Amino acid sequence: MSEIPLSIWHPFTQDALEPAPVFVERAEGVYLYTAEGRRLIDAISSWWVNLHGHAHPLIAGAIADQARKLEQVIFAGFTHAPAEELAAGLRKVLPAPLGHIFFSDDGSTAVEVALKMAVQFWWNQGNRNKRKFVALEHAYHGDTAGAMSVGEDSSFVAAFDSMRFAVHRVPSAYCFRCPVGKTRATCKIDCVEPLEQLLEHRHGEIAAVIVEPLLQAAGGMIVHPVEFLQRIRELCTRHNVLLIADEVLTGFGRTGRMFACEHAEVVPDIMCLSKGITGGFLPLGATVCTDTIRRVFRSEDRMRTFFHGHSYTGSPLACAAGIASLKIFESEPVFERIAAIEKIHAERLPALRNHPAVGDVRSIGTVAAIEIETEDAGYLSKLRSFLYGFFLERGVLLRPLGNIIYVLPPYVITASELHYVYDVIQEALNALPALKTARGGGS
Ligand code: PLP
């Protein structure tokens, strides 16, 4: 009998087109150390999770200590110190009205919980009509069915259309490719008008609007003006529709404030957290909501229970990592590091903007993006594999979103390391195969 080989199937990877996965043996600070003896700068924080550097001893130690005490326990009807302490720590950093925390496993589950919570919020009040969602163009909220439904109709979800429920889709404030043909200097956030119209006429059937506040990440690192989020908040309030802020990526300092919503002084009704919540050590999701929402689920009627839970909900190990990560915000100059990254983005991006291959540059906090103008713009752009290989050869892990290069480093990256990342990007732009750009030039 022939033996079927066992193999690992890697996410977002096309074996036939891509080199074998890089074997990483260990990591420290901003560096990944490979089995081949190479050292790579992790300039994307390992899919946007790492905050304080790899293998930070405080977080590693907290997980090890916790594993010796209580590694796991059912979270229905039971609780434990790490969950209580993390909840208390989050309470201190979250906007005041967001006081109730529902733990889950990762970013996608934090979003699924938010969607279900929003629908049941209305259902528990006897309103069976308010069960639709409004989502933005270019949105990405994860890979589970609900999260895919509110995500953009992109190449990521093309095969799964039959699994996605219908949502109302409205424009995003993608200023470089303005959906309503305005320029930022003169616009009055006109792109929010379709949402205004929609909520005015259909609010009776809409449970919630979901947004990635200020930064749409996987959709192209699109940075929104703060007024866009403010207008969405106003409209939701006016029309009695919940606002869900997916801060899975933007949370924990990534945009220069603890949470992106703070830039706009906006408080959502529900906020989704994950990725950096554990400093990037272990998977953990958290969906936080206001008391108005929580109250509707407290009842003597069992049918008002929120019937959602995962086996590892509230993992003590992940919570221990989360507590240690929050402690690092207090014991180390985290926001100074973030400001130093922002300063370098501001220094280096203008020169890249003038490069003939570049259409737009944008940044917020620690995140910077360089959009190359090309005829095959989009996630499947052929530029991506050229760029990815070019960067890896030079010791930098950058994973362009098609024709969009972005930098999203752990906060501990030094000035010289970040300048090196920019030097390599500059070199890559100069080396780009002759492009047919929208401006007509090659590079
Ligand atoms: N929401 C946002 C804004 C994200 O960027 C992501 C992942 O990139 C997710 C949700 C899904 O998170 P996860 O990959 O942990 O399921």
Side-chain angles (χ1 to χ4, degrees):
M1 211 167 46
S2 72
E3 216 174 282
I4 298 171
L6 182 67
S7 82
I8 299 176
W9 191 343
H10 291 265
F12 281 74
T13 305
Q14 184 50 267
D15 303 3
L17 301 173
E18 296 177 46
V22 179
F23 205 118
V24 175
E25 277 184 340
R26 66 185 185 90
E28 192 180 336
V30 81
Y31 290 104
L32 306 174
Y33 294 87
T34 75
E36 288 177 337
R38 298 189 67 216
R39 191 174 83 150
L40 303 172
I41 295 181
D42 181 358
I44 59 159
S45 301
S46 281
W47 247 349
W48 320 344
V49 299
N50 191 281
L51 303 186
H52 313 296
H54 287 278
H56 193 295
L58 203 80
I59 304 180
I63 296 169
D65 289 348
Q66 185 57 45
R68 280 187 283 267
K69 261 188 262 168
L70 172 69
E71 84 300 343
Q72 177 60 20
V73 65
I74 182 172
F75 207 60
F78 285 75
T79 193
H80 48 75
E84 298 293 330
E85 208 184 312
L86 178 59
L90 289 172
R91 172 69 293 194
K92 279 196 211 147
V93 295
L94 282 164
L98 296 173
H100 301 281
I101 301 172
F102 190 96
F103 287 115
S104 62
D105 295 351
D106 52 41
S108 300
T109 58
V111 168
E112 295 290 339
V113 167
L115 300 175
K116 289 173 74 172
M117 200 181 263
V119 168
Q120 197 179 340
F121 169 73
W122 299 111
W123 193 91
N124 277 1
Q125 297 175 83
N127 188 335
R128 307 286 151 105
N129 293 328
K130 279 172 90 74
R131 55 197 155 87
K132 291 220 162 126
F133 293 96
V134 183
L136 298 184
E137 285 167 4
H138 309 292
Y140 176 77
H141 296 287
D143 290 344
T144 50
M148 280 198 304
S149 304
V150 286
E152 167 82 332
D153 302 321
S154 67
S155 39
F156 292 179
V157 296
F160 312 118
D161 216 35
S162 60
M163 298 171 64
R164 297 165 71 218
F165 55 76
V167 303
H168 294 288
R169 185 80 49 196
V170 293
S172 134
Y174 189 174
C175 300
F176 174 59
R177 299 180 188 276
C178 176
V180 288
K182 300 275 168 136
T183 62
R184 184 66 195 99
T186 55
C187 94
K188 296 193 175 74
I189 315 293
D190 310 75
C191 55
V192 88
E193 274 171 25
L195 175 66
E196 194 164 3
Q197 295 293 324
L198 180 69
L199 293 188
E200 207 170 307
H201 296 108
R202 312 285 284 269
H203 62 90
E205 64 181 53
I206 294 171
V209 175
I210 180 164
V211 297
E212 290 158 90
L214 298 193
L215 177 68
Q216 286 184 297
M221 297 296 163
I222 300 163
V223 181
H224 296 159
V226 288
E227 295 88 340
F228 182 62
L229 182 59
Q230 288 166 340
R231 291 282 294 281
I232 293 175
R233 173 69 276 184
E234 280 163 27
L235 290 171
C236 287
T237 306
R238 192 192 311 160
H239 295 291
N240 201 22
V241 163
L242 299 176
L243 175 62
I244 302 171
D246 174 354
E247 294 245 15
V248 165
L249 162 70
T250 51
F252 303 97
R254 204 61 81 175
T255 69
R257 304 290 291 267
M258 200 61 165
F259 301 103
C261 285
E262 290 172 25
H263 290 280
E265 293 177 16
V266 154
V267 180
D269 302 289
I270 302 177
M271 187 188 273
C272 309
L273 303 172
S274 186
K275 292 199 186 271
I277 192 171
T278 62
F281 273 62
L282 285 170
L284 180 68
T287 306
V288 288
C289 69
T290 60
D291 200 50
T292 309
I293 293 176
R294 182 70 184 96
R295 251 184 285 137
V296 169
F297 289 80
R298 287 206 169 103
S299 167
E300 284 171 11
D301 176 359
R302 281 290 283 161
M303 280 309 290
R304 286 217 200 172
T305 309
F306 190 46
F307 288 114
H308 187 110
H310 300 276
S311 315
Y312 284 96
T313 289
S315 151
L317 300 179
C319 290
I323 297 161
S325 177
L326 286 180
K327 280 188 185 149
I328 294 169
F329 273 94
E330 285 167 14
S331 62
E332 296 185 18
V334 178
F335 278 97
E336 284 166 37
R337 291 174 184 153
I338 289 170
I341 295 172
E342 277 189 80
K343 192 162 160 275
I344 295 174
H345 288 331
E347 275 167 36
R348 297 297 300 259
L349 286 175
L352 298 182
R353 184 191 291 278
N354 294 330
H355 193 284
V358 173
D360 189 33
V361 298
R362 39 191 183 258
S363 72
I364 180 165
T366 65
V367 184
I370 298 123
E371 178 162 345
I372 297 170
E373 274 199 273
T374 170
E375 277 183 344
D376 79 331
Y379 189 77
L380 300 182
S381 169
K382 290 198 177 62
L383 284 179
R384 192 253 175 209
S385 61
F386 165 77
L387 291 165
Y388 180 67
F390 189 97
F391 296 136
L392 274 186
E393 271 169 33
R394 283 152 188 82
V396 180
L397 168 54
L398 282 171
R399 222 171 163 277
L401 296 158
N403 60 312
I404 298 167
I405 303 169
Y406 68 90
V407 184
L408 197 158
Y411 305 156
V412 290
I413 195 166
T414 64
S416 62
E417 287 158 349
L418 189 50
H419 278 297
Y420 176 71
V421 171
Y422 271 105
D423 292 345
V424 169
I425 293 173
Q426 177 82 53
E427 204 190 325
L429 292 173
N430 294 340
L432 278 180
L435 285 180
K436 283 191 189 154
T437 69
R439 292 180 196 172
S443 67

